[in-house]
Amino acid sequence: MFYRYFPLILSVLCVVLRTVDSHCAENPANQITDNGNIVARVNGIAVTEQMVLEQIDQIAMRAQGTIPPEHLAQRNLIFFQNGLESAINLALLKSEAVVKGITVETADVNKQINSFKERLGTEENYQKWLSSQGLTEEKIRKNEKLLENLLYQKVVEAGVEKTQPPDEEEMKRFYDENPNIFLQPERSNVSHIMLEMPANSAENDRKALEKKLQTIRADIESEKITFEEAVKQYSQHAGTAANGGNLGYIAKGQEGIPPEFEKAALETPVGKISGVVATPIGLHLIKVLAHDEQQTVPLDDIKETLRQSLHQKKEADATQHYFDSLREKGKIETVMTDEQWNARHTPKPSIKINPDDLKLDN
């Protein structure tokens, strides 16, 4: 529960999977040698600059693909507040461990290592992994990050109120009060044959590809070849050429689907093949395998998924409530201002040198 709802903290497994002295997703640029730069104090515990940077690394790792690469150079500015909040939460847990007398015992470490062994399948696989990483079990047992995370986990598990899965009445009430969540849009299950067409293709080349697809369509309809055989023989779509061209369900308004493709997928009758459809990646023939009109998904069809989701929401709320309570009773003091942090971490502009300026006079 702790790691599911507190994702900014280093996970135990991630720590174990790295070499003993490294951090998950370690960013060399974030290795500050002076750990004396204190950003905040939490119940007397110093939150250092390095602690905040470690949390920023974790946040940036999870944000990969969602922010432009050029912004990664400013990660320490963009994610400062998030990293600071996460580091403060860790300090709150460490303080609470002292107050409650919670410590990590040998049995806790054994349990975590046994869990890891189960993931690898056999003792032999575990030993091979240790050897490949240049590790020993003793080094893992003494890994500070592993011990810290086990401590955080124990504190949260001891402090967060236990929750129960929702009963039938709760699920029915949520289902009735949130009809839009369970509305399934109109959709079609489709397969396709695609011929690549570069964006700068000449008109004659385009017409030749269209004619080729029209001929393929005619051969399928006259039963000279099956659609699946045509996919195998002609389709240039790497992702589906090996599975009969199947794309699964295409829904109305689905993100990432070209409007021309969506229109043909939803309007072509079941069992029929569309005309030639042009998209930015090529020309297509689309065969509709099944079609569903817009409908509300029956509760019985998604009951277990809904049960898990609502239970996870309860656990998340309970965890958030716990951290809120720690903050309310804790003493949190900001030491380094935003301006001071920004001054230390604003990327310095690169200096462009004109090669001509480096020429020496004769």
Side-chain angles (χ1 to χ4, degrees):
M1 177 175 66
F2 172 57
Y3 294 106
R4 182 182 300 162
Y5 297 112
F6 195 44
L8 302 184
I9 298 175
L10 295 169
S11 71
V12 172
L13 180 59
C14 190
V15 172
V16 175
L17 286 172
R18 295 287 183 176
T19 53
V20 172
D21 294 322
S22 65
H23 300 309
C24 302
E26 187 176 82
N27 177 18
N30 274 355
Q31 301 309 301
I32 302 295
T33 55
D34 181 6
N35 286 334
N37 293 310
I38 298 175
V39 183
R41 288 191 179 88
V42 178
N43 297 333
I45 297 175
V47 175
T48 67
E49 187 173 20
Q50 184 62 48
M51 293 166 64
V52 176
L53 290 172
E54 287 176 3
Q55 295 307 307
I56 288 175
D57 283 345
Q58 294 301 301
I59 299 166
M61 179 177 66
R62 291 181 174 86
Q64 284 182 357
T66 63
I67 61 173
E70 59 269 21
H71 289 178
L72 288 178
Q74 302 182 43
R75 60 196 290 166
N76 294 342
L77 302 180
I78 296 172
F79 297 126
F80 168 57
Q81 288 299 329
N82 303 87
L84 177 58
E85 291 299 301
S86 182
I88 286 174
N89 283 341
L90 291 178
L92 286 167
L93 293 178
K94 189 173 292 187
S95 174
E96 190 71 1
V98 174
V99 172
K100 296 292 179 63
I102 299 174
T103 59
V104 175
E105 308 296 337
T106 301
D108 300 316
V109 180
N110 290 342
K111 182 179 179 181
Q112 182 58 46
I113 289 178
N114 288 336
S115 174
F116 181 55
K117 287 180 179 179
E118 289 177 5
R119 289 174 179 265
L120 290 175
T122 65
E123 177 69 24
E124 182 181 0
N125 288 342
Y126 173 63
Q127 294 300 330
K128 285 182 178 179
W129 177 81
L130 287 177
S131 177
S132 69
Q133 299 296 316
L135 292 174
T136 65
E137 188 169 298
E138 187 63 23
K139 285 183 178 179
I140 292 178
R141 289 179 177 278
K142 293 180 179 179
N143 183 278
E144 291 184 4
K145 285 296 178 183
L146 171 63
L147 297 176
E148 280 183 4
N149 279 276
L150 286 175
L151 178 65
Y152 299 147
Q153 183 177 2
K154 288 189 70 173
V155 175
V156 172
E157 289 178 347
V160 175
E161 182 180 351
K162 300 297 184 292
T163 62
Q164 296 299 321
D167 56 26
E168 297 289 323
E169 183 180 345
E170 286 181 85
M171 289 192 292
K172 181 66 165 60
R173 182 168 60 252
F174 184 87
Y175 180 84
D176 291 339
E177 292 176 354
N178 299 274
N180 290 339
I181 295 178
F182 306 101
L183 191 63
Q184 178 181 286
E186 180 186 4
R187 63 179 189 168
S188 290
N189 189 346
V190 302
S191 294
H192 74 139
I193 298 169
M194 188 198 83
L195 298 182
E196 293 177 348
M197 184 185 67
N200 58 351
S201 296
E203 184 65 20
N204 288 341
D205 293 336
R206 176 191 175 93
K207 288 183 178 179
L209 289 176
E210 287 181 352
K211 186 174 181 179
K212 182 176 181 179
L213 280 175
Q214 289 167 353
T215 300
I216 293 171
R217 183 174 186 266
D219 287 345
I220 295 171
E221 291 180 339
S222 64
E223 299 183 353
K224 291 181 180 179
I225 188 173
T226 66
F227 188 89
E228 291 72 20
E229 290 170 341
V231 169
K232 187 175 182 180
Q233 185 172 341
Y234 299 109
S235 185
Q236 296 174 322
H237 188 258
T240 60
N243 70 343
N246 189 247
L247 287 166
Y249 276 95
I250 302 297
K252 187 174 184 177
Q254 183 173 330
E255 185 177 354
I257 301 299
E260 305 88 352
F261 196 98
E262 177 191 304
K263 186 175 188 296
L266 297 179
E267 294 182 359
T268 301
V270 175
K272 300 297 183 179
I273 300 172
S274 72
V276 177
V277 178
T279 71
I281 64 171
L283 299 179
H284 311 254
L285 291 177
I286 302 170
K287 182 177 181 179
V288 177
L289 308 178
H291 181 82
D292 298 327
E293 295 295 337
Q294 177 177 288
Q295 61 178 315
T296 299
V297 180
L299 176 58
D300 287 342
D301 289 358
I302 44 86
K303 184 172 290 185
E304 288 310 309
T305 300
L306 180 59
R307 191 191 309 276
Q308 293 175 16
S309 297
L310 293 181
H311 191 202
Q312 289 172 1
K313 178 64 165 58
K314 284 185 176 183
E315 290 179 324
D317 290 344
T319 303
Q320 185 60 55
H321 177 74
Y322 175 65
F323 278 104
D324 289 343
S325 68
L326 292 181
R327 284 174 174 270
E328 287 176 7
K329 69 180 183 180
K331 181 180 179 181
I332 301 174
E333 174 191 2
T334 299
V335 177
M336 185 181 294
T337 65
D338 290 1
E339 291 75 16
Q340 290 171 323
W341 178 274
N342 292 343
R344 288 179 60 81
H345 294 281
T346 298
K348 294 179 174 59
S350 58
I351 300 175
K352 295 183 179 180
I353 300 176
N354 187 337
D356 292 336
D357 295 338
L358 300 179
K359 293 180 180 179
L360 299 177
D361 295 333
N362 292 329

